[in-house]
Amino acid sequence: MIGLEIHCQLTNLNSKLFCPCKANYRGFEINENICPICIGLPGSMPRLNQEAVKKATIIAMALNCSTPEKIAFFRKNYFYPDLPKNFQITQLNIYGDTSVGGTGSVMVGDKKINITRIQLEEDPGRLIYEGSSSKNQITLVDYNRAGTPLVEIVTEPDFETPKEVRDFLNILSDILENLGVADPSLEGAMRADANVSIKGGKKVEIKNIGSFHDLEKAVHFEITRQESLHSREIEIIQETRHWDDKRKITVSSRSKEEELDYRYFLEGDIPWVIIDPATKTKLISEMPESIVSKKERYVSKYHIPAQVADVLSSDKYYSDLFEDSHTESNAKEIANIITTDLMGLVDTREKREASKLTPHHLKDLADSIQSSKLSRNSSKNALHEILKTGKDLSIIIKELDLGNVSDESELSGIITQVISEEAQAVEQTRSNPQTINYLVGKVMQKTKGKADPTLTLNLLKKQIGI
Amino acid sequence: MNLKISALDYIQEVKIGNISAEDFVAKTLEQIHNEDDKLHAFLSVNEKAVDQARDIDKKIKSGEKVGDCFGMPISIKDNLCIKDSKTTCASKMLENFIAPYDATVIRKLKQQDAIFVGKVNMDEFAMGLTTEFSAFGPSKNPWNNDCVPGGSSGGSAVSVSAFECVASLGSDTGGSVRNPASFCSAVGFKPTYGLISRFGLISYANSIEQIGPLTRTVKDTAFMLNMISGIDPNDNTTIDNKNEDYLSGIDSGIEGKKIGIIKEMIGEGIDPAVLSATKDAISKLESLGAICEEISLDMVKYSVAAYYTITATEAGSNLARYDNIRYGYDFPLEGYEFNSYISKARRNFGPEVTRRMIIGGFVPSSGQAGKYFLKALKVKSKLTNEINDAFKRFDLLLSPTVPVLPFKLGEKIDDPVSLFLVDINTVTANLTEKPAISVPFAISNGLPIGIQLMADTLQDKQLLQAAYALEQTVRLPEVPL
């Protein structure tokens, strides 16, 4: 059995959870994105970011979680150098359902993964270790991250394999990105702890897993470790283990974290937040269309194949491009361009940021293909150029001489030439019309792929007389 | 130059040009210089105060717009942050802490051209009620230097009553404004929870404490409340009071008002002099047309226990940040592992703070919370219901502020439990978020006695009207400096 605790930073917010510092702390000098509130100076008080509450509520609703009408914040008390106040402001449900989200569920294929709760809390600072050996090691603290709004999603132990964990995390990050609340591709924006137990053994918590990729590995390692212990009849003890990133194994934590008593109590500086039905209705109306609904629409309205619709809907970057460029008549063509040609060109965050492609370009591309002004082949070259330069398609066609040869007399001349050069193939085509493609290919060769394929075929048939 | 005037009189005198802010502030600093070796109200004095006063005089002369305080010299409890000033909380832990920002109340007073003459003494982190737990030595009661001035805002009360300032700001978690006000014969007010922003007040027990003014007259308190109350985006617990003017109609009187006399606060353990003063206050209020009647509040007897449980829990959390990593005192970090470092660094807390840190670690811990912390919260909620019910029948509730007279320095310091009981009459207002005020009412054997009035939530204006009426019934002797 595997359960997850996923931490997702609300990176798209302007400010931290309790102060005006930036929620996206990346790119700052060390200890530059800080103020008296987020470093917990004497006399400072938390100032709740209402927008963060809304975003967290939207996440809860998108994961089909119950959302209470009143939410509260609690203090989790423990000493740690990355915690400026030596307590973390967080939420919990032990004194009634006061967390931003209650029980919910997400479908992963045909399997239902249950959500235990969703809570809104502050991220601690970041520890930087320096020094070569444990003897001269020093710990430095960067508080730029301290106070970043964090949503913790806790699942039931519903996973049975590392693959299910991986699939769930992919779906979850797609959902979060689609909601516009977070950018899961940012480093450290999504982190997870896993609870792993096998039949007959105690629960083991794995912490410090830096990426989803490693999470799958860590879970896999831990299951193997526990099964090997079990087969040798060694007791599996309840403990916290850390993922050792370098050695790719889990290591028992010597710290007594599991024995800590957090002395939870209500954070008096933040009054209860009322999220009444009217607010919820408004939030729902402002929520972007869900991935599932998008996919259904793409299939039913535009007859896009289910597999293509799946790819298109689950990536916000693609679906946004699609939504902004398609018309009733070119939707299928645009879906095709995005999922076959574009996908390989913008598969990383850096490439997407560098790309100069606009929805308008896509519309032009699809329309040109549909009106036979541009061959599919040439459209790939044009797309490359658009991404690089952002120039108008018409200019690119001219500059790179990509336009289709669709002038009948010009094409007829080329075809006459091919027929005279390929007498044997022409004979073959007469007896077996299927082989005409070889001749089409020859025409394409001569026109550098720019011949209008349909016109070429028709003219060939006409001249050969089949 | 007469320093013994009220805040409102000061403003009037400066306005009409009878005195200059510079002269008055200079004289005030002289008074501090003369009296404070003996009284020890101040932890630091603002050496620029006279220059600041001169600037305000210039503004007045040139006809520029001047803030409502007209350079009035105010003292500030040393748990309120003033930008670029030391804010020590009377603790070795913050001995060198210089606040990088202004508390909201400080910002508001600066905008109104108040002058801060200095930061005043208190019990360390506001934990105590005698000012003896200051890491920098106790303050003395101006009425009798052998006696404690009360606390924790002892320096505030001493400085107001010894004419070392015109008004002061303190903080009240369980009576810390009202108790020293009563012991030093000043007016001390704790408003409805949320009426004054706490941003910049160094927290002790944040769910119940409020900043409050200490002044020479009730009218001055109303004036100060006008200056510093109101909603603040930096404190999410503040209430919008729609710029209420607490001075207007302060002389409305109390005819026909129903006043409940809390039986549990005039019973066992009360000093006979305090009891007789209380009875005198009741008959004076009745003669003004108020209707007084005794009321029993069952939960009051549990209030002190609940108060110490809740405050210790919150203090344990609020003071956890003093790990000497981001700020603090000189203490080399090298060679320590984190846990051993903080446990060593935190030994700089004084005995009372340490005591409450230990209690605060225990009463909310798992296995104990049900017996202590959660039970205390239940008392708080039952007490609130009881008080709310009482305010359905009464406009005001009355008791002595403190059941005993100011006692000798050192007399109770080693007996924390008997010290805790001195809080019995004041903690209820904090636990129930109600406004309460201590009005100087009598002097017995040269020692002051204050009467406490309490009103319902956001009835602060009505409370000040009643306090004003009570104040007008007596004329008290001058402090024998």
PDB file of all heavy atoms in Angstrom, chain A residues 43-66:
ATOM      1  N   GLY A  43       7.013  41.092  16.750  1.00  0.00           N
ATOM      2  CA  GLY A  43       5.948  42.063  16.498  1.00  0.00           C
ATOM      3  C   GLY A  43       5.268  41.921  15.152  1.00  0.00           C
ATOM      4  O   GLY A  43       4.237  42.533  14.913  1.00  0.00           O
ATOM      5  N   SER A  44       5.855  41.116  14.250  1.00  0.00           N
ATOM      6  CA  SER A  44       5.201  40.976  12.946  1.00  0.00           C
ATOM      7  C   SER A  44       4.025  40.006  13.052  1.00  0.00           C
ATOM      8  O   SER A  44       3.992  39.155  13.929  1.00  0.00           O
ATOM      9  CB  SER A  44       6.200  40.478  11.909  1.00  0.00           C
ATOM     10  OG  SER A  44       6.604  39.158  12.209  1.00  0.00           O
ATOM     11  N   MET A  45       3.056  40.182  12.166  1.00  0.00           N
ATOM     12  CA  MET A  45       1.856  39.336  12.205  1.00  0.00           C
ATOM     13  C   MET A  45       1.544  38.837  10.804  1.00  0.00           C
ATOM     14  O   MET A  45       1.798  39.531   9.832  1.00  0.00           O
ATOM     15  CB  MET A  45       0.651  40.158  12.687  1.00  0.00           C
ATOM     16  CG  MET A  45       0.730  40.613  14.116  1.00  0.00           C
ATOM     17  SD  MET A  45      -0.669  41.676  14.520  1.00  0.00           S
ATOM     18  CE  MET A  45      -1.995  40.468  14.614  1.00  0.00           C
ATOM     19  N   PRO A  46       0.958  37.635  10.699  1.00  0.00           N
ATOM     20  CA  PRO A  46       0.595  37.133   9.375  1.00  0.00           C
ATOM     21  C   PRO A  46      -0.573  37.920   8.799  1.00  0.00           C
ATOM     22  O   PRO A  46      -1.489  38.297   9.519  1.00  0.00           O
ATOM     23  CB  PRO A  46       0.183  35.683   9.650  1.00  0.00           C
ATOM     24  CG  PRO A  46      -0.275  35.682  11.067  1.00  0.00           C
ATOM     25  CD  PRO A  46       0.575  36.707  11.769  1.00  0.00           C
ATOM     26  N   ARG A  47      -0.491  38.188   7.502  1.00  0.00           N
ATOM     27  CA  ARG A  47      -1.544  38.923   6.818  1.00  0.00           C
ATOM     28  C   ARG A  47      -2.015  37.988   5.706  1.00  0.00           C
ATOM     29  O   ARG A  47      -1.323  37.815   4.711  1.00  0.00           O
ATOM     30  CB  ARG A  47      -0.886  40.176   6.253  1.00  0.00           C
ATOM     31  CG  ARG A  47      -1.793  41.178   5.710  1.00  0.00           C
ATOM     32  CD  ARG A  47      -0.932  42.401   5.424  1.00  0.00           C
ATOM     33  NE  ARG A  47      -1.254  42.908   4.110  1.00  0.00           N
ATOM     34  CZ  ARG A  47      -0.743  43.993   3.599  1.00  0.00           C
ATOM     35  NH1 ARG A  47       0.160  44.684   4.255  1.00  0.00           N
ATOM     36  NH2 ARG A  47      -1.099  44.412   2.417  1.00  0.00           N
ATOM     37  N   LEU A  48      -3.157  37.364   5.908  1.00  0.00           N
ATOM     38  CA  LEU A  48      -3.569  36.261   5.030  1.00  0.00           C
ATOM     39  C   LEU A  48      -3.831  36.727   3.601  1.00  0.00           C
ATOM     40  O   LEU A  48      -4.572  37.680   3.355  1.00  0.00           O
ATOM     41  CB  LEU A  48      -4.823  35.582   5.599  1.00  0.00           C
ATOM     42  CG  LEU A  48      -5.359  34.406   4.776  1.00  0.00           C
ATOM     43  CD1 LEU A  48      -4.333  33.282   4.699  1.00  0.00           C
ATOM     44  CD2 LEU A  48      -6.666  33.894   5.346  1.00  0.00           C
ATOM     45  N   ASN A  49      -3.223  36.019   2.654  1.00  0.00           N
ATOM     46  CA  ASN A  49      -3.421  36.256   1.231  1.00  0.00           C
ATOM     47  C   ASN A  49      -4.734  35.572   0.818  1.00  0.00           C
ATOM     48  O   ASN A  49      -4.792  34.356   0.669  1.00  0.00           O
ATOM     49  CB  ASN A  49      -2.218  35.662   0.482  1.00  0.00           C
ATOM     50  CG  ASN A  49      -2.294  35.853  -1.012  1.00  0.00           C
ATOM     51  OD1 ASN A  49      -3.358  36.172  -1.563  1.00  0.00           O
ATOM     52  ND2 ASN A  49      -1.175  35.639  -1.684  1.00  0.00           N
ATOM     53  N   GLN A  50      -5.786  36.376   0.654  1.00  0.00           N
ATOM     54  CA  GLN A  50      -7.122  35.810   0.370  1.00  0.00           C
ATOM     55  C   GLN A  50      -7.128  35.088  -0.974  1.00  0.00           C
ATOM     56  O   GLN A  50      -7.888  34.141  -1.174  1.00  0.00           O
ATOM     57  CB  GLN A  50      -8.171  36.923   0.356  1.00  0.00           C
ATOM     58  CG  GLN A  50      -8.339  37.651   1.681  1.00  0.00           C
ATOM     59  CD  GLN A  50      -9.023  36.806   2.739  1.00  0.00           C
ATOM     60  OE1 GLN A  50      -9.648  35.794   2.435  1.00  0.00           O
ATOM     61  NE2 GLN A  50      -8.905  37.210   3.994  1.00  0.00           N
ATOM     62  N   GLU A  51      -6.292  35.544  -1.885  1.00  0.00           N
ATOM     63  CA  GLU A  51      -6.223  34.923  -3.205  1.00  0.00           C
ATOM     64  C   GLU A  51      -5.725  33.477  -3.070  1.00  0.00           C
ATOM     65  O   GLU A  51      -6.178  32.600  -3.811  1.00  0.00           O
ATOM     66  CB  GLU A  51      -5.260  35.755  -4.059  1.00  0.00           C
ATOM     67  CG  GLU A  51      -5.575  35.899  -5.517  1.00  0.00           C
ATOM     68  CD  GLU A  51      -7.039  36.088  -5.871  1.00  0.00           C
ATOM     69  OE1 GLU A  51      -7.731  36.969  -5.286  1.00  0.00           O
ATOM     70  OE2 GLU A  51      -7.490  35.341  -6.736  1.00  0.00           O
ATOM     71  N   ALA A  52      -4.817  33.252  -2.128  1.00  0.00           N
ATOM     72  CA  ALA A  52      -4.298  31.896  -1.904  1.00  0.00           C
ATOM     73  C   ALA A  52      -5.413  30.976  -1.416  1.00  0.00           C
ATOM     74  O   ALA A  52      -5.494  29.812  -1.816  1.00  0.00           O
ATOM     75  CB  ALA A  52      -3.149  31.937  -0.888  1.00  0.00           C
ATOM     76  N   VAL A  53      -6.274  31.506  -0.565  1.00  0.00           N
ATOM     77  CA  VAL A  53      -7.409  30.705  -0.069  1.00  0.00           C
ATOM     78  C   VAL A  53      -8.307  30.324  -1.247  1.00  0.00           C
ATOM     79  O   VAL A  53      -8.748  29.181  -1.371  1.00  0.00           O
ATOM     80  CB  VAL A  53      -8.212  31.491   0.991  1.00  0.00           C
ATOM     81  CG1 VAL A  53      -9.445  30.706   1.422  1.00  0.00           C
ATOM     82  CG2 VAL A  53      -7.335  31.814   2.194  1.00  0.00           C
ATOM     83  N   LYS A  54      -8.550  31.274  -2.131  1.00  0.00           N
ATOM     84  CA  LYS A  54      -9.399  30.994  -3.300  1.00  0.00           C
ATOM     85  C   LYS A  54      -8.768  29.912  -4.178  1.00  0.00           C
ATOM     86  O   LYS A  54      -9.428  28.969  -4.599  1.00  0.00           O
ATOM     87  CB  LYS A  54      -9.575  32.270  -4.129  1.00  0.00           C
ATOM     88  CG  LYS A  54     -10.574  33.239  -3.525  1.00  0.00           C
ATOM     89  CD  LYS A  54     -10.818  34.390  -4.478  1.00  0.00           C
ATOM     90  CE  LYS A  54     -11.558  35.515  -3.772  1.00  0.00           C
ATOM     91  NZ  LYS A  54     -11.420  36.773  -4.491  1.00  0.00           N
ATOM     92  N   LYS A  55      -7.459  30.065  -4.442  1.00  0.00           N
ATOM     93  CA  LYS A  55      -6.784  29.097  -5.316  1.00  0.00           C
ATOM     94  C   LYS A  55      -6.804  27.703  -4.686  1.00  0.00           C
ATOM     95  O   LYS A  55      -7.021  26.707  -5.371  1.00  0.00           O
ATOM     96  CB  LYS A  55      -5.339  29.541  -5.572  1.00  0.00           C
ATOM     97  CG  LYS A  55      -5.218  30.821  -6.399  1.00  0.00           C
ATOM     98  CD  LYS A  55      -5.364  30.549  -7.888  1.00  0.00           C
ATOM     99  CE  LYS A  55      -5.081  31.780  -8.737  1.00  0.00           C
ATOM    100  NZ  LYS A  55      -6.223  32.687  -8.860  1.00  0.00           N
ATOM    101  N   ALA A  56      -6.567  27.652  -3.371  1.00  0.00           N
ATOM    102  CA  ALA A  56      -6.564  26.347  -2.699  1.00  0.00           C
ATOM    103  C   ALA A  56      -7.967  25.731  -2.742  1.00  0.00           C
ATOM    104  O   ALA A  56      -8.130  24.519  -2.903  1.00  0.00           O
ATOM    105  CB  ALA A  56      -6.085  26.504  -1.255  1.00  0.00           C
ATOM    106  N   THR A  57      -8.981  26.572  -2.611  1.00  0.00           N
ATOM    107  CA  THR A  57     -10.366  26.080  -2.671  1.00  0.00           C
ATOM    108  C   THR A  57     -10.670  25.537  -4.064  1.00  0.00           C
ATOM    109  O   THR A  57     -11.329  24.496  -4.213  1.00  0.00           O
ATOM    110  CB  THR A  57     -11.347  27.224  -2.322  1.00  0.00           C
ATOM    111  OG1 THR A  57     -10.979  27.765  -1.055  1.00  0.00           O
ATOM    112  CG2 THR A  57     -12.780  26.720  -2.256  1.00  0.00           C
ATOM    113  N   ILE A  58     -10.175  26.221  -5.082  1.00  0.00           N
ATOM    114  CA  ILE A  58     -10.378  25.761  -6.457  1.00  0.00           C
ATOM    115  C   ILE A  58      -9.736  24.383  -6.650  1.00  0.00           C
ATOM    116  O   ILE A  58     -10.323  23.486  -7.253  1.00  0.00           O
ATOM    117  CB  ILE A  58      -9.785  26.802  -7.447  1.00  0.00           C
ATOM    118  CG1 ILE A  58     -10.715  28.005  -7.536  1.00  0.00           C
ATOM    119  CG2 ILE A  58      -9.576  26.192  -8.822  1.00  0.00           C
ATOM    120  CD1 ILE A  58     -10.164  29.139  -8.385  1.00  0.00           C
ATOM    121  N   ILE A  59      -8.539  24.214  -6.092  1.00  0.00           N
ATOM    122  CA  ILE A  59      -7.874  22.910  -6.194  1.00  0.00           C
ATOM    123  C   ILE A  59      -8.738  21.845  -5.525  1.00  0.00           C
ATOM    124  O   ILE A  59      -8.978  20.773  -6.083  1.00  0.00           O
ATOM    125  CB  ILE A  59      -6.464  22.949  -5.548  1.00  0.00           C
ATOM    126  CG1 ILE A  59      -5.545  23.861  -6.364  1.00  0.00           C
ATOM    127  CG2 ILE A  59      -5.880  21.543  -5.442  1.00  0.00           C
ATOM    128  CD1 ILE A  59      -4.188  24.119  -5.729  1.00  0.00           C
ATOM    129  N   ALA A  60      -9.232  22.169  -4.331  1.00  0.00           N
ATOM    130  CA  ALA A  60     -10.078  21.207  -3.605  1.00  0.00           C
ATOM    131  C   ALA A  60     -11.298  20.829  -4.447  1.00  0.00           C
ATOM    132  O   ALA A  60     -11.652  19.654  -4.555  1.00  0.00           O
ATOM    133  CB  ALA A  60     -10.502  21.799  -2.264  1.00  0.00           C
ATOM    134  N   MET A  61     -11.912  21.816  -5.055  1.00  0.00           N
ATOM    135  CA  MET A  61     -13.114  21.535  -5.846  1.00  0.00           C
ATOM    136  C   MET A  61     -12.764  20.704  -7.084  1.00  0.00           C
ATOM    137  O   MET A  61     -13.507  19.803  -7.462  1.00  0.00           O
ATOM    138  CB  MET A  61     -13.814  22.842  -6.220  1.00  0.00           C
ATOM    139  CG  MET A  61     -14.377  23.553  -4.988  1.00  0.00           C
ATOM    140  SD  MET A  61     -15.515  24.933  -5.314  1.00  0.00           S
ATOM    141  CE  MET A  61     -14.465  26.065  -6.142  1.00  0.00           C
ATOM    142  N   ALA A  62     -11.612  21.015  -7.688  1.00  0.00           N
ATOM    143  CA  ALA A  62     -11.214  20.278  -8.894  1.00  0.00           C
ATOM    144  C   ALA A  62     -10.889  18.821  -8.578  1.00  0.00           C
ATOM    145  O   ALA A  62     -10.988  17.959  -9.444  1.00  0.00           O
ATOM    146  CB  ALA A  62     -10.015  20.951  -9.536  1.00  0.00           C
ATOM    147  N   LEU A  63     -10.498  18.547  -7.330  1.00  0.00           N
ATOM    148  CA  LEU A  63     -10.200  17.164  -6.938  1.00  0.00           C
ATOM    149  C   LEU A  63     -11.407  16.543  -6.237  1.00  0.00           C
ATOM    150  O   LEU A  63     -11.274  15.577  -5.490  1.00  0.00           O
ATOM    151  CB  LEU A  63      -8.952  17.122  -6.055  1.00  0.00           C
ATOM    152  CG  LEU A  63      -7.675  17.706  -6.676  1.00  0.00           C
ATOM    153  CD1 LEU A  63      -6.490  17.560  -5.734  1.00  0.00           C
ATOM    154  CD2 LEU A  63      -7.343  17.031  -8.017  1.00  0.00           C
ATOM    155  N   ASN A  64     -12.569  17.127  -6.486  1.00  0.00           N
ATOM    156  CA  ASN A  64     -13.842  16.615  -5.974  1.00  0.00           C
ATOM    157  C   ASN A  64     -13.878  16.504  -4.450  1.00  0.00           C
ATOM    158  O   ASN A  64     -14.510  15.600  -3.900  1.00  0.00           O
ATOM    159  CB  ASN A  64     -14.140  15.238  -6.586  1.00  0.00           C
ATOM    160  CG  ASN A  64     -13.990  15.267  -8.089  1.00  0.00           C
ATOM    161  OD1 ASN A  64     -14.655  16.058  -8.762  1.00  0.00           O
ATOM    162  ND2 ASN A  64     -13.090  14.455  -8.621  1.00  0.00           N
ATOM    163  N   CYS A  65     -13.167  17.403  -3.777  1.00  0.00           N
ATOM    164  CA  CYS A  65     -13.135  17.362  -2.315  1.00  0.00           C
ATOM    165  C   CYS A  65     -14.280  18.177  -1.735  1.00  0.00           C
ATOM    166  O   CYS A  65     -14.736  19.140  -2.345  1.00  0.00           O
ATOM    167  CB  CYS A  65     -11.826  17.937  -1.784  1.00  0.00           C
ATOM    168  SG  CYS A  65     -10.390  16.957  -2.197  1.00  0.00           S
ATOM    169  N   SER A  66     -14.702  17.788  -0.541  1.00  0.00           N
ATOM    170  CA  SER A  66     -15.679  18.607   0.167  1.00  0.00           C
ATOM    171  C   SER A  66     -14.977  19.900   0.590  1.00  0.00           C
ATOM    172  O   SER A  66     -13.778  19.903   0.862  1.00  0.00           O
ATOM    173  CB  SER A  66     -16.191  17.864   1.389  1.00  0.00           C
ATOM    174  OG  SER A  66     -15.115  17.539   2.240  1.00  0.00           O
TER     175      SER A  66
END
